[in-house]
mmCIF file of all heavy atoms in Angstrom:
data_model
loop_
_atom_site.group_PDB
_atom_site.id
_atom_site.type_symbol
_atom_site.label_atom_id
_atom_site.label_comp_id
_atom_site.label_asym_id
_atom_site.label_seq_id
_atom_site.Cartn_x
_atom_site.Cartn_y
_atom_site.Cartn_z
ATOM 1 N N GLN A 1 0.878 3.521 -2.054
ATOM 2 C CA GLN A 1 1.746 2.413 -2.041
ATOM 3 C C GLN A 1 1.453 1.562 -3.226
ATOM 4 O O GLN A 1 0.261 1.308 -3.551
ATOM 5 C CB GLN A 1 1.644 1.638 -0.731
ATOM 6 C CG GLN A 1 2.156 2.284 0.509
ATOM 7 C CD GLN A 1 1.934 1.413 1.758
ATOM 8 O OE1 GLN A 1 0.824 1.296 2.172
ATOM 9 N NE2 GLN A 1 2.995 0.838 2.212
ATOM 10 N N LEU A 2 2.426 1.225 -4.041
ATOM 11 C CA LEU A 2 2.275 0.411 -5.222
ATOM 12 C C LEU A 2 2.943 -0.929 -5.130
ATOM 13 O O LEU A 2 4.015 -1.093 -4.543
ATOM 14 C CB LEU A 2 2.817 1.186 -6.450
ATOM 15 C CG LEU A 2 2.212 2.522 -6.800
ATOM 16 C CD1 LEU A 2 2.932 3.225 -7.858
ATOM 17 C CD2 LEU A 2 0.734 2.262 -7.223
ATOM 18 N N MET A 3 2.305 -1.952 -5.693
ATOM 19 C CA MET A 3 2.825 -3.291 -5.719
ATOM 20 C C MET A 3 2.407 -3.958 -7.040
ATOM 21 O O MET A 3 1.246 -3.692 -7.528
ATOM 22 C CB MET A 3 2.225 -4.090 -4.586
ATOM 23 C CG MET A 3 2.809 -5.485 -4.335
ATOM 24 S SD MET A 3 1.977 -6.466 -3.070
ATOM 25 C CE MET A 3 2.073 -5.482 -1.595
ATOM 26 N N THR A 4 3.218 -4.750 -7.632
ATOM 27 C CA THR A 4 2.866 -5.328 -8.870
ATOM 28 C C THR A 4 1.682 -6.262 -8.650
ATOM 29 O O THR A 4 1.413 -6.851 -7.551
ATOM 30 C CB THR A 4 3.992 -6.233 -9.423
ATOM 31 O OG1 THR A 4 4.488 -7.140 -8.487
ATOM 32 C CG2 THR A 4 5.196 -5.276 -9.872
ATOM 33 N N ASP A 5 0.816 -6.386 -9.661
ATOM 34 C CA ASP A 5 -0.384 -7.198 -9.588
ATOM 35 C C ASP A 5 -0.039 -8.715 -9.515
ATOM 36 O O ASP A 5 0.577 -9.183 -10.420
ATOM 37 C CB ASP A 5 -1.266 -6.922 -10.788
ATOM 38 C CG ASP A 5 -2.655 -7.460 -10.643
ATOM 39 O OD1 ASP A 5 -2.999 -7.899 -9.512
ATOM 40 O OD2 ASP A 5 -3.459 -7.537 -11.665
ATOM 41 N N GLY A 6 -0.476 -9.305 -8.439
ATOM 42 C CA GLY A 6 -0.158 -10.713 -8.271
ATOM 43 C C GLY A 6 -0.372 -11.165 -6.843
ATOM 44 O O GLY A 6 -0.735 -10.362 -5.976
ATOM 45 N N GLU A 7 -0.127 -12.463 -6.600
ATOM 46 C CA GLU A 7 -0.341 -13.040 -5.258
ATOM 47 C C GLU A 7 0.797 -12.771 -4.281
ATOM 48 O O GLU A 7 0.605 -12.829 -3.083
ATOM 49 C CB GLU A 7 -0.622 -14.488 -5.378
ATOM 50 C CG GLU A 7 -1.865 -14.856 -6.131
ATOM 51 C CD GLU A 7 -2.166 -16.341 -6.169
ATOM 52 O OE1 GLU A 7 -1.627 -17.064 -5.277
ATOM 53 O OE2 GLU A 7 -2.895 -16.765 -7.019
ATOM 54 N N HIS A 8 1.932 -12.530 -4.756
ATOM 55 C CA HIS A 8 3.147 -12.243 -3.925
ATOM 56 C C HIS A 8 3.396 -13.289 -2.826
ATOM 57 O O HIS A 8 3.285 -12.979 -1.632
ATOM 58 C CB HIS A 8 3.049 -10.862 -3.345
ATOM 59 C CG HIS A 8 3.289 -9.766 -4.360
ATOM 60 N ND1 HIS A 8 4.497 -9.238 -4.725
ATOM 61 C CD2 HIS A 8 2.374 -9.093 -5.177
ATOM 62 C CE1 HIS A 8 4.334 -8.311 -5.625
ATOM 63 N NE2 HIS A 8 3.051 -8.219 -5.984
ATOM 64 N N PRO A 9 3.714 -14.508 -3.262
ATOM 65 C CA PRO A 9 3.953 -15.597 -2.255
ATOM 66 C C PRO A 9 5.177 -15.322 -1.348
ATOM 67 O O PRO A 9 5.276 -15.960 -0.267
ATOM 68 C CB PRO A 9 4.195 -16.813 -3.200
ATOM 69 C CG PRO A 9 4.648 -16.269 -4.507
ATOM 70 C CD PRO A 9 3.894 -15.034 -4.635
ATOM 71 N N GLU A 10 5.982 -14.399 -1.735
ATOM 72 C CA GLU A 10 7.154 -14.053 -0.869
ATOM 73 C C GLU A 10 6.716 -13.331 0.383
ATOM 74 O O GLU A 10 7.494 -13.289 1.357
ATOM 75 C CB GLU A 10 8.222 -13.230 -1.658
ATOM 76 C CG GLU A 10 7.843 -11.721 -1.805
ATOM 77 C CD GLU A 10 6.850 -11.493 -2.935
ATOM 78 O OE1 GLU A 10 6.351 -12.447 -3.539
ATOM 79 O OE2 GLU A 10 6.525 -10.287 -3.231
ATOM 80 N N LEU A 11 5.538 -12.722 0.376
ATOM 81 C CA LEU A 11 5.067 -12.075 1.607
ATOM 82 C C LEU A 11 4.364 -13.052 2.577
ATOM 83 O O LEU A 11 3.857 -14.120 2.140
ATOM 84 C CB LEU A 11 4.071 -10.992 1.216
ATOM 85 C CG LEU A 11 4.601 -9.832 0.340
ATOM 86 C CD1 LEU A 11 3.485 -8.938 -0.063
ATOM 87 C CD2 LEU A 11 5.710 -9.052 0.999
ATOM 88 N N ASP A 12 4.363 -12.734 3.867
ATOM 89 C CA ASP A 12 3.705 -13.654 4.836
ATOM 90 C C ASP A 12 2.283 -13.268 5.017
ATOM 91 O O ASP A 12 1.589 -13.653 6.037
ATOM 92 C CB ASP A 12 4.511 -13.679 6.182
ATOM 93 C CG ASP A 12 4.525 -12.338 6.822
ATOM 94 O OD1 ASP A 12 3.875 -11.303 6.323
ATOM 95 O OD2 ASP A 12 5.232 -12.169 7.844
ATOM 96 N N PHE A 13 1.753 -12.384 4.171
ATOM 97 C CA PHE A 13 0.325 -12.022 4.193
ATOM 98 C C PHE A 13 -0.111 -11.867 2.721
ATOM 99 O O PHE A 13 0.673 -11.687 1.820
ATOM 100 C CB PHE A 13 0.088 -10.737 4.982
ATOM 101 C CG PHE A 13 0.698 -9.544 4.367
ATOM 102 C CD1 PHE A 13 0.010 -8.725 3.557
ATOM 103 C CD2 PHE A 13 2.083 -9.204 4.674
ATOM 104 C CE1 PHE A 13 0.580 -7.554 2.984
ATOM 105 C CE2 PHE A 13 2.674 -8.079 4.114
ATOM 106 C CZ PHE A 13 1.950 -7.282 3.274
ATOM 107 N N ASP A 14 -1.506 -11.837 2.498
ATOM 108 C CA ASP A 14 -2.004 -11.655 1.220
ATOM 109 C C ASP A 14 -2.123 -10.153 1.068
ATOM 110 O O ASP A 14 -2.752 -9.464 1.858
ATOM 111 C CB ASP A 14 -3.437 -12.333 1.106
ATOM 112 C CG ASP A 14 -3.963 -12.317 -0.303
ATOM 113 O OD1 ASP A 14 -3.847 -11.285 -0.981
ATOM 114 O OD2 ASP A 14 -4.514 -13.346 -0.706
ATOM 115 N N PRO A 15 -1.627 -9.565 -0.023
ATOM 116 C CA PRO A 15 -1.730 -8.091 -0.194
ATOM 117 C C PRO A 15 -3.131 -7.617 -0.347
ATOM 118 O O PRO A 15 -3.372 -6.334 -0.231
ATOM 119 C CB PRO A 15 -0.912 -7.832 -1.464
ATOM 120 C CG PRO A 15 -0.802 -9.116 -2.206
ATOM 121 C CD PRO A 15 -0.843 -10.203 -1.171
ATOM 122 N N LEU A 16 -4.108 -8.499 -0.644
ATOM 123 C CA LEU A 16 -5.496 -8.066 -0.720
ATOM 124 C C LEU A 16 -6.239 -8.058 0.663
ATOM 125 O O LEU A 16 -7.393 -7.704 0.715
ATOM 126 C CB LEU A 16 -6.228 -8.897 -1.691
ATOM 127 C CG LEU A 16 -5.723 -9.031 -3.088
ATOM 128 C CD1 LEU A 16 -6.675 -9.906 -3.954
ATOM 129 C CD2 LEU A 16 -5.558 -7.678 -3.745
ATOM 130 N N ASP A 17 -5.532 -8.472 1.712
ATOM 131 C CA ASP A 17 -6.142 -8.637 3.031
ATOM 132 C C ASP A 17 -6.223 -7.240 3.686
ATOM 133 O O ASP A 17 -5.258 -6.656 4.022
ATOM 134 C CB ASP A 17 -5.306 -9.563 3.852
ATOM 135 C CG ASP A 17 -5.896 -9.907 5.256
ATOM 136 O OD1 ASP A 17 -6.834 -9.216 5.643
ATOM 137 O OD2 ASP A 17 -5.405 -10.817 5.885
ATOM 138 N N PRO A 18 -7.473 -6.770 3.913
ATOM 139 C CA PRO A 18 -7.595 -5.415 4.528
ATOM 140 C C PRO A 18 -7.314 -5.318 5.992
ATOM 141 O O PRO A 18 -7.394 -4.300 6.612
ATOM 142 C CB PRO A 18 -9.144 -5.111 4.229
ATOM 143 C CG PRO A 18 -9.767 -6.440 4.214
ATOM 144 C CD PRO A 18 -8.782 -7.316 3.539
ATOM 145 N N THR A 19 -6.967 -6.492 6.616
ATOM 146 C CA THR A 19 -6.584 -6.423 8.032
ATOM 147 C C THR A 19 -5.034 -6.310 8.173
ATOM 148 O O THR A 19 -4.513 -6.279 9.282
ATOM 149 C CB THR A 19 -7.000 -7.711 8.807
ATOM 150 O OG1 THR A 19 -6.147 -8.845 8.356
ATOM 151 C CG2 THR A 19 -8.415 -8.047 8.596
ATOM 152 N N LYS A 20 -4.383 -6.077 7.026
ATOM 153 C CA LYS A 20 -2.898 -5.994 6.994
ATOM 154 C C LYS A 20 -2.447 -4.607 6.447
ATOM 155 O O LYS A 20 -3.050 -4.017 5.617
ATOM 156 C CB LYS A 20 -2.296 -7.085 6.153
ATOM 157 C CG LYS A 20 -2.707 -8.485 6.574
ATOM 158 C CD LYS A 20 -2.113 -8.845 7.939
ATOM 159 C CE LYS A 20 -2.349 -10.298 8.267
ATOM 160 N NZ LYS A 20 -3.771 -10.625 8.438
ATOM 161 N N LEU A 21 -1.278 -4.191 7.032
ATOM 162 C CA LEU A 21 -0.547 -3.034 6.527
ATOM 163 C C LEU A 21 0.443 -3.555 5.490
ATOM 164 O O LEU A 21 1.029 -4.637 5.660
ATOM 165 C CB LEU A 21 0.187 -2.297 7.623
ATOM 166 C CG LEU A 21 -0.661 -1.694 8.704
ATOM 167 C CD1 LEU A 21 0.248 -1.183 9.887
ATOM 168 C CD2 LEU A 21 -1.480 -0.496 8.106
ATOM 169 N N TRP A 22 0.776 -2.778 4.441
ATOM 170 C CA TRP A 22 1.877 -3.054 3.574
ATOM 171 C C TRP A 22 3.075 -2.431 4.206
ATOM 172 O O TRP A 22 3.081 -1.143 4.422
ATOM 173 C CB TRP A 22 1.657 -2.452 2.222
ATOM 174 C CG TRP A 22 0.612 -3.152 1.389
ATOM 175 C CD1 TRP A 22 -0.218 -4.182 1.726
ATOM 176 C CD2 TRP A 22 0.311 -2.876 -0.011
ATOM 177 N NE1 TRP A 22 -1.037 -4.572 0.709
ATOM 178 C CE2 TRP A 22 -0.751 -3.761 -0.405
ATOM 179 C CE3 TRP A 22 0.786 -1.954 -0.920
ATOM 180 C CZ2 TRP A 22 -1.294 -3.719 -1.667
ATOM 181 C CZ3 TRP A 22 0.224 -1.917 -2.229
ATOM 182 C CH2 TRP A 22 -0.793 -2.814 -2.543
ATOM 183 N N PRO A 23 4.141 -3.158 4.521
ATOM 184 C CA PRO A 23 5.287 -2.489 5.214
ATOM 185 C C PRO A 23 5.883 -1.365 4.342
ATOM 186 O O PRO A 23 6.214 -1.576 3.197
ATOM 187 C CB PRO A 23 6.342 -3.661 5.258
ATOM 188 C CG PRO A 23 5.443 -4.914 5.220
ATOM 189 C CD PRO A 23 4.357 -4.575 4.327
ATOM 190 N N PRO A 24 5.984 -0.186 4.855
ATOM 191 C CA PRO A 24 6.447 1.008 4.069
ATOM 192 C C PRO A 24 7.881 0.878 3.662
ATOM 193 O O PRO A 24 8.268 1.500 2.685
ATOM 194 C CB PRO A 24 6.190 2.230 4.986
ATOM 195 C CG PRO A 24 6.066 1.671 6.347
ATOM 196 C CD PRO A 24 5.513 0.290 6.221
ATOM 197 N N GLU A 25 8.646 0.103 4.368
ATOM 198 C CA GLU A 25 10.072 -0.085 3.982
ATOM 199 C C GLU A 25 10.157 -0.936 2.677
ATOM 200 O O GLU A 25 11.165 -0.755 1.969
ATOM 201 C CB GLU A 25 10.916 -0.708 5.123
ATOM 202 C CG GLU A 25 10.504 -2.026 5.564
ATOM 203 C CD GLU A 25 9.385 -2.017 6.601
ATOM 204 O OE1 GLU A 25 8.851 -0.980 6.894
ATOM 205 O OE2 GLU A 25 9.153 -3.125 7.198
ATOM 206 N N GLN A 26 9.219 -1.738 2.458
ATOM 207 C CA GLN A 26 9.150 -2.498 1.183
ATOM 208 C C GLN A 26 8.335 -1.778 0.113
ATOM 209 O O GLN A 26 8.697 -1.859 -1.085
ATOM 210 C CB GLN A 26 8.540 -3.878 1.454
ATOM 211 C CG GLN A 26 9.376 -4.779 2.245
ATOM 212 C CD GLN A 26 8.672 -6.152 2.461
ATOM 213 O OE1 GLN A 26 8.096 -6.339 3.533
ATOM 214 N NE2 GLN A 26 8.729 -7.007 1.497
ATOM 215 N N PHE A 27 7.278 -1.111 0.552
ATOM 216 C CA PHE A 27 6.387 -0.389 -0.388
ATOM 217 C C PHE A 27 6.216 1.021 0.079
ATOM 218 O O PHE A 27 5.249 1.346 0.817
ATOM 219 C CB PHE A 27 5.041 -1.141 -0.449
ATOM 220 C CG PHE A 27 5.170 -2.624 -0.696
ATOM 221 C CD1 PHE A 27 5.122 -3.560 0.395
ATOM 222 C CD2 PHE A 27 5.441 -3.081 -2.038
ATOM 223 C CE1 PHE A 27 5.255 -4.917 0.117
ATOM 224 C CE2 PHE A 27 5.581 -4.478 -2.242
ATOM 225 C CZ PHE A 27 5.552 -5.347 -1.233
ATOM 226 N N PRO A 28 7.137 1.917 -0.312
ATOM 227 C CA PRO A 28 7.142 3.250 0.254
ATOM 228 C C PRO A 28 5.995 4.085 -0.114
ATOM 229 O O PRO A 28 5.297 3.843 -1.162
ATOM 230 C CB PRO A 28 8.447 3.899 -0.292
ATOM 231 C CG PRO A 28 8.730 3.006 -1.524
ATOM 232 C CD PRO A 28 8.227 1.657 -1.275
ATOM 233 N N PHE A 29 5.678 5.104 0.723
ATOM 234 C CA PHE A 29 4.626 6.051 0.484
ATOM 235 C C PHE A 29 5.157 7.051 -0.637
ATOM 236 O O PHE A 29 6.100 7.678 -0.420
ATOM 237 C CB PHE A 29 4.263 6.807 1.705
ATOM 238 C CG PHE A 29 3.380 6.068 2.671
ATOM 239 C CD1 PHE A 29 3.561 4.787 2.893
ATOM 240 C CD2 PHE A 29 2.380 6.759 3.386
ATOM 241 C CE1 PHE A 29 2.732 4.006 3.791
ATOM 242 C CE2 PHE A 29 1.563 6.087 4.276
ATOM 243 C CZ PHE A 29 1.755 4.731 4.477
ATOM 244 N N LEU A 30 4.377 7.077 -1.751
ATOM 245 C CA LEU A 30 4.750 7.956 -2.928
ATOM 246 C C LEU A 30 3.789 9.071 -2.982
ATOM 247 O O LEU A 30 2.582 8.895 -3.209
ATOM 248 C CB LEU A 30 4.804 7.122 -4.179
ATOM 249 C CG LEU A 30 5.674 5.875 -4.186
ATOM 250 C CD1 LEU A 30 5.476 5.131 -5.547
ATOM 251 C CD2 LEU A 30 7.087 6.231 -3.999
ATOM 252 N N PRO A 31 4.219 10.385 -2.745
ATOM 253 C CA PRO A 31 3.260 11.470 -2.862
ATOM 254 C C PRO A 31 2.792 11.607 -4.269
ATOM 255 O O PRO A 31 3.559 11.620 -5.254
ATOM 256 C CB PRO A 31 4.108 12.684 -2.392
ATOM 257 C CG PRO A 31 5.261 12.132 -1.723
ATOM 258 C CD PRO A 31 5.501 10.749 -2.365
ATOM 259 N N ILE A 32 1.485 11.829 -4.469
ATOM 260 C CA ILE A 32 0.885 12.090 -5.777
ATOM 261 C C ILE A 32 0.055 13.396 -5.878
ATOM 262 O O ILE A 32 -0.332 13.792 -6.969
ATOM 263 C CB ILE A 32 0.001 10.965 -6.252
ATOM 264 C CG1 ILE A 32 -1.297 10.808 -5.397
ATOM 265 C CG2 ILE A 32 0.802 9.643 -6.274
ATOM 266 C CD1 ILE A 32 -2.273 9.892 -5.991
ATOM 267 N N GLY A 33 -0.199 14.067 -4.771
ATOM 268 C CA GLY A 33 -0.940 15.273 -4.751
ATOM 269 C C GLY A 33 -1.274 15.849 -3.454
ATOM 270 O O GLY A 33 -1.023 15.151 -2.401
ATOM 271 N N LYS A 34 -1.849 16.992 -3.374
ATOM 272 C CA LYS A 34 -2.202 17.645 -2.134
ATOM 273 C C LYS A 34 -3.678 18.106 -2.123
ATOM 274 O O LYS A 34 -4.189 18.600 -3.089
ATOM 275 C CB LYS A 34 -1.311 18.926 -1.889
ATOM 276 C CG LYS A 34 -1.543 19.589 -0.559
ATOM 277 C CD LYS A 34 -0.602 20.738 -0.327
ATOM 278 C CE LYS A 34 -1.027 21.958 -1.169
ATOM 279 N NZ LYS A 34 -0.237 23.121 -0.782
ATOM 280 N N MET A 35 -4.387 17.760 -1.038
ATOM 281 C CA MET A 35 -5.771 18.191 -0.873
ATOM 282 C C MET A 35 -5.881 19.344 0.121
ATOM 283 O O MET A 35 -5.348 19.220 1.233
ATOM 284 C CB MET A 35 -6.621 16.970 -0.457
ATOM 285 C CG MET A 35 -8.102 17.361 -0.307
ATOM 286 S SD MET A 35 -9.089 15.861 0.040
ATOM 287 C CE MET A 35 -8.682 15.557 1.752
ATOM 288 N N THR A 36 -6.576 20.386 -0.149
ATOM 289 C CA THR A 36 -6.877 21.455 0.766
ATOM 290 C C THR A 36 -8.362 21.690 0.899
ATOM 291 O O THR A 36 -9.038 21.752 -0.099
ATOM 292 C CB THR A 36 -6.216 22.781 0.235
ATOM 293 O OG1 THR A 36 -4.806 22.531 -0.047
ATOM 294 C CG2 THR A 36 -6.380 23.952 1.156
ATOM 295 N N LEU A 37 -8.798 21.789 2.141
ATOM 296 C CA LEU A 37 -10.237 22.080 2.378
ATOM 297 C C LEU A 37 -10.389 23.556 2.704
ATOM 298 O O LEU A 37 -9.726 24.042 3.655
ATOM 299 C CB LEU A 37 -10.770 21.217 3.508
ATOM 300 C CG LEU A 37 -10.761 19.711 3.255
ATOM 301 C CD1 LEU A 37 -11.398 18.931 4.438
ATOM 302 C CD2 LEU A 37 -11.467 19.363 1.967
ATOM 303 N N ASN A 38 -11.157 24.311 1.877
ATOM 304 C CA ASN A 38 -11.175 25.767 2.005
ATOM 305 C C ASN A 38 -12.499 26.346 2.013
ATOM 306 O O ASN A 38 -12.666 27.571 1.928
ATOM 307 C CB ASN A 38 -10.345 26.367 0.869
ATOM 308 C CG ASN A 38 -10.822 25.895 -0.536
ATOM 309 O OD1 ASN A 38 -11.908 25.417 -0.636
ATOM 310 N ND2 ASN A 38 -9.963 26.016 -1.503
ATOM 311 N N ARG A 39 -13.557 25.522 2.061
ATOM 312 C CA ARG A 39 -14.950 26.206 2.076
ATOM 313 C C ARG A 39 -15.893 25.249 2.836
ATOM 314 O O ARG A 39 -15.990 24.111 2.581
ATOM 315 C CB ARG A 39 -15.447 26.345 0.624
ATOM 316 C CG ARG A 39 -16.800 26.949 0.493
ATOM 317 C CD ARG A 39 -17.115 27.405 -0.882
ATOM 318 N NE ARG A 39 -17.153 26.348 -1.872
ATOM 319 C CZ ARG A 39 -18.251 25.623 -2.176
ATOM 320 N NH1 ARG A 39 -19.404 25.872 -1.568
ATOM 321 N NH2 ARG A 39 -18.161 24.693 -3.087
#
């Protein structure tokens, strides 16, 4: 999930807060690769 660097006062939470989820409808999951465990 990507967000521009900043405080984002429009959100009702701080994007740096690890107790919070970023809403996927605002910040969609973008696939970047696949991991396979094979050994």
Side-chain angles (χ1 to χ4, degrees):
Q1 290 177 285
L2 295 172
M3 188 186 300
T4 56
D5 189 13
E7 296 185 19
H8 289 272
E10 77 281 3
L11 299 174
D12 62 6
F13 65 95
D14 190 316
L16 302 183
D17 185 348
T19 70
K20 302 294 188 291
L21 297 170
W22 290 5
E25 60 273 13
Q26 291 176 263
F27 309 99
F29 281 39
L30 305 175
I32 66 167
K34 184 177 77 171
M35 181 175 74
T36 305
L37 298 184
N38 55 20
R39 181 165 63 87

